[in-house]
Amino acid sequence: MKDIARELGVSVATVSRALKDSPRISDAQRERIKAYAREHNFYPNVIAESLRKSRVAPQKLIGVIVPQIAHYYFSTILSGIEEQASVRGYRIMVAQSDERYDREKRICESFLANRVCGVIVSQAKDTKKYDHFQELIDNHVPLVFYDRICTGINTNRVVVDDYMGAFTAVTHLINTGCQRIAFYGSPMQLEISKNRFNGYHDAILKHGMKMDESLVFQCDCRDDAESLTPDVLRREDRPDAFFAVNDDTAIGILYTAKRMGFKVPADVSVCGFTNGERAIACDPMLTTVEQRGYMVGEEAVDILVNHVEGVTDMQKVVKKVVRTRLVVRGTSR
């Protein structure tokens, strides 16, 4: 704008007002300045303008941290976030932590530098320190957790009913005749792992069955499931069902069982947790717990924007639970 002002013999303020169609500038002067700008391929710096405005009001930019964008559940949440943010008049800046604490910390620092008005995040698997999240709060940046929440900080969150989803799924397996049900879960420092394990545990005890700790494993991806399951199925006291923390792990169990000659679900039942596209792409199609990720994303945006716009007091912590639904298909009896 300084270059345009110098070439046309006007002030920078006049150039700025003309480019914004200010009525304070005459039509002739406004068109003269805009024509010169077009001829010289000038475009306003949107980021600089947002930062300038953010001194008096937060820019409408939401930072979003996703552990893995390729993961179906996280991608559906991201779709919900993006759509609802657009409806509310906000843009999003998305970054992937790749399940790493160090990367997650750098992303938070970047969001602060870019003056985001708030952050929506699902923490990485190996995050055990929460200083980077606390720094956001200390800088008056509203924070909303989804899926994997940070128990070290009392802040806004949107989660699915992991406990009841697991309890319902394991109850279904028991009601269809399964007696020995293995659990494949994520690291227990994650709240979702604790809740899903507790649902599994309580369903077994409620139905008068004995809890067998030897059937509980830390395994939450397909590759690990395909490595672990052969040994589990070769046991003399092998399980007749598996409940997995996510669909990918469940599909790894399914294909391993089939390769070993077991019939699913006649010999072994399998249940997952997500209800992603892969659940209907396998044979037989997967019985699983639907998480409703799109709704989680929408709720997270509404909580955040209501804080930013003063509808909800910044000091108030909002917690939303999205109900799950068991989808019964061909991998259970």
Side-chain angles (χ1 to χ4, degrees):
M1 286 194 292
K2 288 181 180 178
D3 292 340
I4 296 173
R6 183 176 60 253
E7 290 297 322
L8 298 182
V10 296
S11 69
V12 174
T14 297
V15 173
S16 177
R17 293 188 185 109
L19 295 175
K20 293 176 183 176
D21 292 318
S22 170
R24 296 173 61 183
I25 308 300
S26 68
D27 291 344
Q29 182 76 296
R30 188 162 61 242
E31 185 50 40
R32 173 172 170 254
I33 292 171
K34 291 174 77 172
Y36 185 92
R38 284 194 300 270
E39 290 170 4
H40 292 81
N41 299 312
F42 171 83
Y43 297 95
N45 187 324
V46 176
I47 294 177
E49 178 68 7
S50 295
L51 290 174
R52 184 187 68 79
K53 288 182 177 179
S54 70
R55 292 170 191 158
V56 293
Q59 61 172 325
K60 293 191 170 186
L61 179 64
I62 299 170
V64 181
I65 303 179
V66 182
Q68 290 181 323
I69 292 175
H71 192 290
Y72 174 84
Y73 180 54
F74 292 133
S75 69
T76 58
I77 292 175
L78 186 57
S79 294
I81 290 172
E82 185 171 32
E83 179 63 26
Q84 190 63 10
S86 178
V87 168
R88 299 291 299 262
Y90 287 71
R91 297 174 294 122
I92 65 172
M93 177 184 289
V94 183
Q96 178 177 254
S97 68
D98 200 27
E99 304 287 16
R100 289 165 43 196
Y101 163 77
D102 60 333
R103 185 162 179 160
E104 186 179 79
K105 184 178 176 69
R106 288 197 299 272
I107 292 169
C108 287
E109 292 168 352
S110 173
F111 283 169
L112 273 175
N114 281 279
R115 309 276 185 90
V116 297
C117 65
V119 174
I120 298 173
V121 56
S122 179
Q123 74 174 49
K125 283 182 184 178
D126 69 349
T127 295
K128 298 181 179 67
K129 295 188 295 183
Y130 313 120
D131 50 313
H132 52 307
F133 296 139
Q134 187 60 54
E135 185 176 4
L136 290 171
I137 295 171
D138 292 345
N139 280 275
H140 310 291
V141 177
L143 194 59
V144 179
F145 282 92
Y146 65 91
D147 190 51
R148 301 182 196 152
I149 63 174
C150 173
T151 56
I153 299 175
N154 185 30
T155 189
N156 308 296
R157 62 192 61 177
V158 183
V159 296
V160 300
D161 194 347
D162 293 298
Y163 173 88
M164 188 53 65
F167 184 91
T168 302
V170 175
T171 295
H172 164 70
L173 294 173
I174 293 170
N175 288 341
T176 55
C178 300
Q179 296 294 311
R180 290 182 55 76
I181 304 170
F183 175 82
Y184 281 18
S186 297
M188 280 299 176
Q189 76 259 21
L190 298 175
E191 198 69 12
I192 62 167
S193 294
K194 295 176 186 176
N195 290 336
R196 292 178 194 179
F197 172 76
N198 288 338
Y200 157 84
H201 173 272
D202 290 356
I204 287 175
L205 295 185
K206 182 179 179 181
H207 290 84
M209 298 167 62
K210 185 178 180 180
M211 182 67 195
D212 185 347
E213 297 291 344
S214 72
L215 293 179
V216 177
F217 304 92
Q218 182 174 312
C219 176
D220 62 358
C221 69
R222 178 169 179 168
D223 288 345
D224 289 349
E226 292 186 4
S227 297
L228 173 64
T229 305
D231 289 337
V232 177
L233 287 176
R234 290 189 189 106
R235 289 169 46 164
E236 290 185 8
D237 60 345
R238 69 169 180 83
D240 57 4
F242 292 81
F243 172 61
V245 72
N246 57 48
D247 283 358
D248 281 352
T249 304
I251 291 169
I253 298 167
L254 167 62
Y255 278 92
T256 301
K258 288 175 63 179
R259 280 199 305 270
M260 294 177 69
F262 291 95
K263 295 179 181 178
V264 179
D267 299 326
V268 180
S269 292
V270 182
C271 181
F273 206 115
T274 301
N275 196 31
E277 293 176 347
R278 295 175 186 175
I280 58 173
C282 55
D283 182 26
M285 290 191 288
L286 186 68
T287 292
T288 186
V289 178
E290 184 176 34
Q291 290 182 274
R292 295 188 167 108
Y294 192 91
M295 188 182 299
V296 170
E298 289 180 314
E299 292 281 7
V301 170
D302 282 339
I303 291 171
L304 185 68
V305 171
N306 286 344
H307 277 299
V308 170
E309 296 183 351
V311 176
T312 305
D313 188 274
M314 286 289 286
Q315 303 304 314
K316 182 178 179 180
V317 174
V318 180
K319 300 177 182 180
K320 287 285 184 74
V321 178
V322 175
R323 290 187 177 182
T324 55
R325 178 174 70 97
L326 180 65
V327 181
V328 177
R329 298 195 183 98
T331 59
S332 61
R333 303 166 193 166

